[in-house]
Amino acid sequence: MADLQPRKRNRELFPDFTSPFGSLFNEGFSAPFENFNKLKIDIRDEGDRYFVEAELPGFKKEDIDVEYKEPQLTIRAKREQKEESDGKSYVYQERSYGEFVRTFQMRNVKDEDIEAIFEDGVLQLEVPKDDTGRADGRKIDIH
């Protein structure tokens, strides 16, 4: 389990009242928005494998790439900007576009046995562990 360490969310129970702006200047202006455009991902250690779930609502399977190259698992999703066509004009547009990438350190993985399924906007990966320490790296096919 030393290969992937669990992380607890940093939740501030008591705000900093010593400053009229609280901890805003300590965290920076972008802190409240730092997770706004990130892919939301959960990783579980199930003993002989890792189980990864990534929320990718609105993406198509063709827009998602998963790759393992020792020691990194990379999930990449790309959404193109919607063009105004047929005389349609957006009054308000809030959905993000561009490329979204998350990379995780995972050592001792059987890259040839990684399985990926994309269903109902959720990407599920089964990542088997390997004690031999051998991994060549490859692009993962999504079913």
Side-chain angles (χ1 to χ4, degrees), residues 8 53 81 105 123:
K8 299 197 185 243
E53 287 184 311
Q81 181 177 6
Q105 300 290 320
L123 176 66

Side-chain angles (χ1 to χ4, degrees), residues 36 57 84 92 115 126 135:
F36 185 70
E84 293 183 10
Y92 183 75
E115 292 188 18
E126 282 192 38

Side-chain angles (χ1 to χ4, degrees):
M1 175 74 177
D3 299 329
L4 186 68
Q5 296 296 321
R7 193 180 96 185
K8 299 197 185 243
R9 293 182 187 193
N10 183 12
R11 293 188 180 163
E12 187 176 328
L13 297 176
F14 303 101
D16 178 14
F17 292 109
T18 59
S19 163
F21 298 105
S23 59
L24 177 66
F25 292 105
N26 293 334
E27 296 176 2
F29 288 103
S30 65
F33 305 104
E34 67 185 14
N35 289 325
F36 185 70
N37 279 334
K38 282 190 177 175
L39 301 176
K40 309 300 190 252
I41 297 178
D42 294 332
I43 302 174
R44 289 191 320 264
D45 186 343
E46 295 186 346
D48 64 338
R49 66 189 63 238
Y50 297 111
F51 189 74
V52 180
E53 287 184 311
E55 292 181 357
L56 298 163
F59 284 94
K60 296 177 187 147
K61 184 169 69 170
E62 306 82 49
D63 299 333
I64 302 168
D65 287 317
V66 179
E67 183 177 34
Y68 182 79
K69 186 173 182 183
E70 179 74 31
Q72 296 180 334
L73 176 72
T74 302
I75 299 172
R76 178 177 283 112
K78 189 172 184 177
R79 181 180 292 141
E80 299 293 329
Q81 181 177 6
K82 294 199 180 233
E83 299 290 331
E84 293 183 10
S85 61
D86 301 329
K88 296 179 183 176
S89 176
Y90 288 97
V91 175
Y92 183 75
Q93 191 172 14
E94 194 171 69
R95 294 183 290 171
S96 299
Y97 61 91
E99 187 173 52
F100 304 87
V101 180
R102 296 292 303 272
T103 301
F104 300 93
Q105 300 290 320
M106 290 185 170
R107 297 186 187 284
N108 300 327
V109 166
K110 289 183 184 176
D111 61 333
E112 69 275 0
D113 293 337
I114 296 174
E115 292 188 18
I117 298 171
F118 184 65
E119 187 174 69
D120 297 330
V122 177
L123 176 66
Q124 298 176 344
L125 301 172
E126 282 192 38
V127 184
K129 294 180 183 179
D130 183 9
D131 293 332
T132 64
R134 187 217 57 77
D136 298 326
R138 69 180 190 95
K139 182 177 175 178
I140 310 303
D141 292 327
I142 301 171
H143 303 283

